[in-house]
Amino acid sequence: MTIQVAKLSDPAVRAFVSAVNAHDREAFQALLTPDATMSDDGSDRDLDEWTDREIFSSHGHMEVDNESNGGRALIARYSNDAWGEMKTRWSFTVDDGGRISRFETGQA
């Protein structure tokens, strides 16, 4: 059962999913700390290159099925034009100012 984006517990994660689904690169980048990092399937990636390829240029979309860790860990069906739909896991590190300093994703 999908969790509506508006009902996601953590405000930063809720804004992240909203920005991804709206294809709003500006809002997405505003959520991240200047030194934010990310990994995909356990390997660190270049954040700008990865988000352009996997989210914005390929119309990424998240349907969240489950959240844990206070809303900072998600299981979601992620789809984009490159890979189709897959079950994915996401975890987020949020700083004291409410911005995301790291996210990790991969197949669930």
Side-chain angles (χ1 to χ4, degrees), residues 40-60:
D40 183 9
D41 282 328
S43 297
D44 280 2
R45 307 287 184 185
D46 178 277
L47 182 90
D48 292 332
E49 180 183 296
W50 188 92
T51 56
D52 180 61
R53 183 182 65 249
E54 300 292 337
I55 297 174
F56 298 107
S57 294
S58 62
H59 307 104

Side-chain angles (χ1 to χ4, degrees), residues 64-76:
V64 178
D65 291 327
N66 187 312
E67 68 173 358
S68 59
N69 191 28
R72 293 187 178 174
L74 307 176
I75 298 295

Side-chain angles (χ1 to χ4, degrees), residues 2-5 8 13-23 28 50 54-55 59-66 73-80 85-86 88-92 103-105:
T2 302
I3 300 171
Q4 293 178 355
V5 176
L8 293 172
V13 173
R14 183 170 55 243
F16 180 98
V17 175
S18 293
V20 167
N21 289 351
H23 310 288
F28 180 88
W50 188 92
E54 300 292 337
I55 297 174
H59 307 104
H61 189 83
M62 298 174 76
E63 294 288 334
V64 178
D65 291 327
N66 187 312
L74 307 176
I75 298 295
R77 284 171 285 126
Y78 186 78
S79 61
N80 67 22
E85 184 176 298
M86 65 189 85
T88 56
R89 58 173 170 66
W90 298 76
S91 64
F92 299 87
F103 68 91
E104 298 177 5
T105 186

Side-chain angles (χ1 to χ4, degrees), residues 87-104:
K87 187 175 181 179
T88 56
R89 58 173 170 66
W90 298 76
S91 64
F92 299 87
T93 303
V94 180
D95 74 4
D96 292 337
R99 294 175 73 193
I100 295 169
S101 60
R102 181 168 178 84
F103 68 91
E104 298 177 5

